[in-house]
């Protein structure tokens, strides 16, 4: 199972993650990401990893168990 979460100590609200992975990440009114914590569908795992790598603050975490 793969999930996404955000390290709030790092996130600077760049918003890039939402642009790269709109299926799983939306932004709140201040530009901070909103993730639902549910499993990332298999077809989106690669895109989720790419979004995590692209995060300028290395704040988006993709974890697989
Ligand atoms: S790209 Fe990274 S720093 Fe920017 S909003 Fe997403 S998690 Fe936060």
């Amino acid at each position: 199972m793969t999930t996404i979460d955000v390290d709030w100590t790092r996130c600077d609200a760049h918003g890039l993650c939402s642009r790269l992975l709109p299926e799983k990440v939306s932004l709140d009114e201040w530009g901070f990401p909103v993730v639902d914590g549910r499993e990332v569908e298999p077809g989106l795992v690669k895109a989720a990893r790419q979004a995590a790598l692209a995060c300028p603050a290395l704040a988006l975490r993709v974890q697989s168990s």
Side-chain angles (χ1 to χ4, degrees):
M1 176 172 149
T2 299
T3 56
I4 299 172
D5 67 12
V6 177
D7 181 344
W8 298 111
T9 67
R10 288 178 172 266
C11 179
D12 289 327
H14 295 287
L16 181 59
C17 53
S18 179
R19 291 200 295 276
L20 294 175
L21 194 63
E23 301 90 343
K24 301 300 293 182
V25 184
S26 57
L27 299 179
D28 69 13
E29 59 189 295
W30 297 281
F32 283 93
V34 177
V35 297
D36 62 14
R38 291 188 295 190
E39 180 175 7
V40 177
E41 296 86 341
L44 289 175
V45 170
K46 183 176 179 183
R49 293 194 187 287
Q50 289 173 337
L53 287 172
C55 171
L58 300 179
L60 191 69
R61 297 185 298 210
V62 177
Q63 298 176 326
S64 295
S65 58

